Amino acid sequence: MKEIIALEYKQGILHMIDQRKLPRQQETFLCKTWQEVDFAIQDMVVRGAPAIGAAAAYGALLAAKEYEKEPKPVFLSKMEESLSVLNESRPTAVNLMWAIKRMRNLLKQYAQESITQLVERIEAEADAIVAADQAINVTMGDYGNSIIPEKATILTHCNTGALATVGIGTALGVVRQAFRSGKDIFVYADETRPRLQGGRLTAWELMQEGIPASLIADSVAATLIRDGKIDVILVGADRIATNGDTANKIGTFMLSVLAKTYQVPFYIVAPTTTIDFDMSHGDEIVIEERSSEEVTHIDGHPTAPEGIQVYNPAFDVTPHQNITGIITEKGIIRAPFHENIPPLKGEE
Ligand code: MRU
């Protein structure tokens, strides 16, 4: 089986699988400038918290290459300008801000060095972010596999696989490790309206790997959970507050309420780079609202009357009380989250 590589930097160009086109077309979107990376993140050519963090890191590299012939003060101010724009390409996933912060810190720490040296450092930093994410995904997958029963039926939401990261995935990484370790698992994938990351992307990844699965409309989940058909729910995260409140794809909160009502284990799978150590409560998380067309149209075809008002938040916040555990590369974190999450800082 060919590994899925969401993004790869090769000879001055960032190659991305164009996730807007999957599963019907497998096209590569090429970013030669940082502005193209900014567009790709906003338009969701690339999406998923860890993947957009990595994309932004290479956006910083493309900016550095664009301005490397400028005098140093101009280079530094152009870098700050581009990092600020990239930082705002999407608001909820903290991995994006985390990657940009790493670049800012690097430019500050090595401010005395030549531009050539700085560009080399930025490239090494972006490569390190990718290498770390790949390793972290496998570690999380293995920790997660330890809570998956031998014949588990797993419910998942959105896409948290190779497309959403630069490795095997977060929640879907756990699914992969369980399957690769020989467990007889079955997956229900929510289609995840309105962007259909489950239907377009997770279903595609599951089929590529041959993992037994059914795609379901989002509204089917409640019946499956009530009827005792789900052993464990695994989802990803875009930002986790230090009390454990977790922002993830819209619909996650609803699943967590069902999980609590019917006592089904509900796990978040996320690297510690998705924890916002400056945020103590989920209420502080900025929730992205996306265009009304995502709800009124499918592939450019209208599915709602013209002119209808739309409310389209892309994420929701699951309260920590509904979460059984957070599977990270440092192990499985459990309640009390406000005590067990802060010590992870500094080990990031
Ligand atoms: O809007 P998206 O597709 O970027 O949202 C993605 C999610 O909500 C994922 O669950 C999250 O980023 C974790 S992916 C490893």
Side-chain angles (χ1 to χ4, degrees), residues 241-260:
T242 54
N243 71 344
D245 291 353
T246 296
N248 190 50
K249 181 52 54 195
I250 191 77
T252 304
F253 169 44
M254 194 161 68
L255 287 179
S256 78
V257 174
L258 287 161
K260 196 168 186 187

Side-chain angles (χ1 to χ4, degrees), residues 44 47-50 90 158-160 164-165 170 197 236-238 248-249 315:
M44 295 175 68
R47 30 70 48 206
R90 287 192 77 189
C158 195
N159 173 266
T160 60
T165 60
T170 58
Q197 288 94 331
D238 286 82
N248 190 50
K249 181 52 54 195
F315 302 96

Side-chain angles (χ1 to χ4, degrees), residues 86-130:
L86 285 166
N87 203 47
E88 300 203 343
S89 48
R90 287 192 77 189
T92 306
V94 76
N95 303 61
L96 171 68
M97 293 81 188
W98 169 84
I100 296 294
K101 195 169 162 191
R102 274 181 69 151
M103 294 303 177
R104 280 198 173 118
N105 288 347
L106 192 141
L107 286 169
K108 207 160 134 195
Q109 188 181 350
Y110 300 102
Q112 301 315 315
E113 292 188 352
S114 70
I115 292 182
T116 311
Q117 284 169 312
L118 287 174
V119 175
E120 276 167 18
R121 284 198 186 274
I122 290 171
E123 179 157 2
E125 192 75 354
D127 290 346
I129 287 173
V130 167

Side-chain angles (χ1 to χ4, degrees), residues 171-243:
L172 212 59
V174 173
V175 167
R176 275 203 166 87
Q177 291 304 76
F179 179 72
R180 290 179 184 178
S181 71
K183 287 183 183 166
D184 186 13
I185 59 166
F186 188 88
V187 178
Y188 282 104
D190 282 349
E191 67 173 352
T192 318
R193 280 283 292 150
R195 291 285 298 214
L196 299 171
Q197 288 94 331
R200 294 176 193 269
L201 310 176
T202 302
W204 182 74
E205 284 200 41
L206 288 164
M207 289 190 77
Q208 298 278 313
E209 180 120 11
I211 300 174
S214 283
L215 176 63
I216 53 169
D218 297 323
S219 37
V220 175
T223 305
L224 286 172
I225 293 169
R226 183 204 56 196
D227 292 350
K229 302 262 172 65
I230 303 296
D231 298 307
V232 56
I233 300 173
L234 299 175
V235 297
D238 286 82
R239 192 183 292 244
I240 303 172
T242 54
N243 71 344

